[in-house]
Amino acid sequence: MPKPPELVLLFHPEQLGEVERFSTFYTGTYSFDPRDVRALRGVTGHFLKARRLRHLAERLVPNLNIDEAQLEEHGSTPADNASELATVLEASIVEIYSSLDCTVKTLFAIYNPGASSRKKSTRRFFLNYDPDSTKMPPEIATTLADVGWYRRLLHLRDELTHLDTGAVHRDSETRLIRYIHHGLTEQANALVIDDIFEWIDTTLVDVDAWLGQVFHFLNSTLSNAEVTVPCAVVEGRFMMRMVSGKPPVTFHSGRCISAQWFDIPGNPRCPFASECGAYQRRATFPPPEAVS
């Protein structure tokens, strides 16, 4: 069995994005049922999967050389490589939308958990937002002021779940990858995206910015209640601390709860203890009662 690393740092709050920050600290303020916990995890999970699929698609682009060579030599091609590329690109698009789905589910879990499935619809949330039925604060409505990117993303997600795969073509001059789907229309014409990679990249940026706005506000609602989080793994043992998610949160925030055992001679000591603010404020616990 390979020897585990002597030190793995796990607590670096300065590097957390807004979604990760909320996911780390929300339990001190909100209580979610298991389904809502999965939804919150899905916000980041689906978004990261969308990015990975986009990068995977980029690595498939050179395979178009095979299709183009077949076309040049035989006058036709089954376009297997283009179909594979289109499939991965479409999967990325669907994953982007799934991240939005999970965000809307999280918002309803906080502000209106008893709402009907119809009211919890992501489509309804973006296109027909009603503060009275959602019961959400005005800060959430403010995030919807500039979401012009949503309609095309919705259109693609809806249709891609029911239609065959679209097609991609590499322009011989610009070398850009054009995406075409004859089963989809925009303004009565077949859907054509001249640079599908650029469109996905822009959509990822837009969605990421919206997620940042939403979860920045949610982070501002966190209470001072402490949650227990892992700091590091030292010689195979977890170091833990209790810390509030109320900003600002730094590496020195909170109270160390592992000092009670790593201060005992013979146990692996936390290498950050001498300079860690959490260790200076370490939690104290009453001694265990004697067993008669």
Side-chain angles (χ1 to χ4, degrees), residues 55-287:
H55 293 310
L56 173 60
E58 190 169 29
R59 293 203 297 272
L60 295 177
V61 169
N63 293 346
L64 296 179
N65 294 336
I66 299 172
D67 295 355
E68 293 167 355
Q70 291 171 340
L71 188 61
E72 179 70 21
E73 182 178 354
H74 305 294
S76 64
T77 174
D80 291 335
N81 295 284
S83 295
E84 289 179 356
L85 176 57
T87 299
V88 176
L89 288 167
E90 290 177 353
S92 178
I93 293 168
V94 172
E95 289 297 325
I96 296 173
Y97 196 91
S98 293
S99 183
L100 297 180
D101 271 339
C102 288
T103 302
V104 173
K105 286 181 172 64
T106 299
L107 288 170
F108 273 98
I110 293 172
Y111 294 109
N112 193 2
S116 65
S117 297
R118 183 177 64 85
K119 288 184 178 180
K120 291 181 180 179
S121 161
T122 302
R123 179 197 308 265
R124 180 187 177 98
F125 177 85
F126 276 93
L127 299 182
N128 302 105
Y129 183 83
D130 178 5
D132 293 329
S133 65
T134 61
K135 300 181 181 180
M136 296 181 192
E139 288 84 353
I140 299 300
T142 300
T143 70
L144 299 173
D146 186 20
V147 290
W149 43 265
Y150 176 75
R151 285 187 178 273
R152 175 179 267 189
L153 181 60
L154 168 67
H155 182 48
L156 280 164
R157 194 294 305 259
D158 279 355
E159 300 303 329
L160 291 178
T161 56
H162 302 291
L163 293 174
D164 290 337
T165 306
V168 294
H169 169 72
R170 181 165 58 183
D171 189 280
S172 59
E173 295 183 0
T174 66
R175 310 304 284 172
L176 298 178
I177 306 299
R178 180 181 293 113
Y179 175 81
I180 306 166
H181 204 306
H182 294 286
L184 294 171
T185 59
E186 280 189 345
Q187 299 178 346
N189 297 312
L191 174 71
V192 177
I193 301 177
D194 288 326
D195 185 349
I196 185 61
F197 280 99
E198 189 275 337
W199 181 82
I200 289 178
D201 287 343
T202 299
T203 303
L204 283 167
V205 169
D206 289 337
V207 171
D208 190 36
W210 182 75
L211 294 176
Q213 292 179 59
V214 170
F215 282 91
H216 178 75
F217 169 70
L218 292 182
N219 282 319
S220 73
T221 69
L222 295 177
S223 71
N224 286 319
E226 292 180 318
V227 300
T228 301
V229 299
C231 300
V233 180
V234 179
E235 297 184 25
R237 300 190 184 189
F238 278 90
M239 304 291 174
M240 310 292 290
R241 76 174 70 192
M242 298 169 64
V243 59
S244 163
K246 197 74 172 177
V249 182
T250 73
F251 180 77
H252 297 285
S253 299
R255 299 181 294 147
C256 175
I257 59 176
S258 295
Q260 60 178 318
W261 63 262
F262 72 62
D263 275 343
I264 299 174
N267 286 333
R269 183 173 173 79
C270 176
F272 302 105
S274 61
E275 56 189 36
C276 177
Y279 176 76
Q280 303 306 317
R281 293 183 297 275
R282 55 193 176 276
T284 57
F285 299 89

